[in-house]
Amino acid sequence: MDYFLTSYDYELPAELIAQTPAVPRDSSRLLVVESLNEPQHSIFKDLPQWLKAGDLLVVNNTKVLPARIYGQKSTGGLVEILLLEEKQHNCWVVLAKRGRRLPIGTQIVFKPIQMGAIPLVDGVAIATLPAVVVGQDEATGGRLLQFTLPPGISLLSVLDGFGEMPLPPYITSKQSQPEQYQTIYAESLGAVAAPTAGLHFTPELLAKLQEHGVKIATVTLHVGVGTFRPVEVEDITTHKMHGEWIEVSAETVEQIQATKSSGGRVIGVGTTVARSLESAAQAGEIRAFAGKTQLFIYPGYQWRVVDGLITNFHLPRSSLMMMVSSLIGRERLLSLYREAIAHRYRFYSFGDAMLILPSG
């Protein structure tokens, strides 16, 4: 059953899909799972009481791009684009609504979100972004879009004026602010979706954790299309993950090794952190690593680094549900989801969280 896609279904009332984040961030609810004990209901700001001095909390410092941009084709049609990844200078892999209508050679002009806020780079006003479709990307099914900018100017340097935060499609409310879809420690620009388990942290909570003796380490995983692409094969063992760029530094590896040597626990903040750390340990032990990972973690996986996990409640049939199932078991996870639904927890990106702690 663990390898059947339909085994990861559950029924969620639509009103439990969180449309706005909790304010303050750490006022969200926290379902605490320890071994086979009954789950306990808590608040995220009380996280320090569930962790121990000597534990290591690992966070993902990726920063979300304002990756959704709007343009007009030379033929007059409007286009909505999601930037995914820069392949070459100012040439990006993109997804487009009605992408089949963007054959190679299609010319598009993008304009600033607010016409009164034209970006200036080194004194040069960038009033429009001309682009042309130059190819297809087999891995994502997207298009390659070449932007034309003055010499020495990158798309990233002007994107704030042209793009908006790419909130997931199930968030239909426009009430949230762009900064609410960034973690407080976001610094490495490159993601197209937020590592949402980290959205619950406040500066005060991080300080309280450190005062409690919990150490903090960072990794980078630029969340890509693989995060929001559903698993579509009934035998999940045949699913192929899209590559995402990660970096696990030598300093973080040293912190992890020191934590384990002293009997502390490594707690990943989110599935992106878990994927990063486990990818860096595929040789048997964790090593510094920078590059693409296609690691798919599902039941039967032998965990090498992560002892515990903070995670939100995920979409049915998602690779993220399969990863969490590999840590605590599929039936146990579905039972916890039923518990969360019964207690009216909020789900998905702006929703509540779950803390999974190791036994003992």
Side-chain angles (χ1 to χ4, degrees), residues 14 19 25 68 110 140 231 258 281 316 322 336 342:
Q19 295 296 307
R25 291 170 180 251
R68 198 177 302 282
F110 299 90
T140 61
V231 176
M322 295 163 194
L336 291 165

Side-chain angles (χ1 to χ4, degrees), residues 83-222:
L83 300 167
L84 292 184
E85 178 185 2
E86 188 173 34
K87 283 291 189 181
Q88 299 175 19
H89 181 61
N90 290 338
C91 183
W92 283 72
V93 178
V94 305
L95 294 180
K97 281 193 175 180
R98 298 175 292 278
R100 292 179 181 176
R101 299 182 187 178
L102 291 182
I104 294 174
T106 300
Q107 297 181 16
I108 309 170
V109 174
F110 299 90
K111 295 182 180 179
I113 295 279
Q114 298 177 333
M115 289 309 297
I118 295 174
L120 283 173
V121 181
D122 298 331
V124 179
I126 309 298
T128 62
L129 282 178
V132 60
V133 178
V134 296
Q136 298 185 18
D137 182 63
E138 295 298 328
T140 61
R143 298 293 189 266
L144 293 174
L145 197 57
Q146 179 68 59
F147 292 87
T148 301
L149 285 155
I153 295 179
S154 73
L155 179 63
L156 286 178
S157 67
V158 302
L159 198 52
D160 281 342
F162 288 87
E164 65 179 24
M165 203 59 73
L167 294 178
Y170 49 76
I171 296 177
T172 56
S173 169
K174 300 295 184 182
Q175 297 179 39
S176 60
Q177 299 301 308
E179 61 271 16
Q180 291 179 296
Y181 196 57
Q182 300 278 20
T183 63
I184 60 168
Y185 41 75
E187 59 180 31
S188 181
L189 194 63
V192 299
T196 54
L199 295 178
H200 306 283
F201 286 91
T202 63
E204 296 78 13
L205 178 56
L206 282 179
K208 189 176 178 183
L209 284 162
Q210 290 173 302
E211 290 169 7
H212 184 61
V214 175
K215 297 179 172 60
I216 312 292
T218 62
V219 298
T220 303
L221 183 146
H222 290 323

Side-chain angles (χ1 to χ4, degrees), residues 303-323:
W303 291 80
R304 295 175 171 88
V305 182
V306 173
D307 299 308
L309 185 68
I310 297 171
T311 184
N312 282 17
F313 297 92
H314 302 293
L315 289 160
R317 301 191 179 201
S318 64
S319 64
L320 307 181
M321 272 194 77
M322 295 163 194
M323 178 190 290

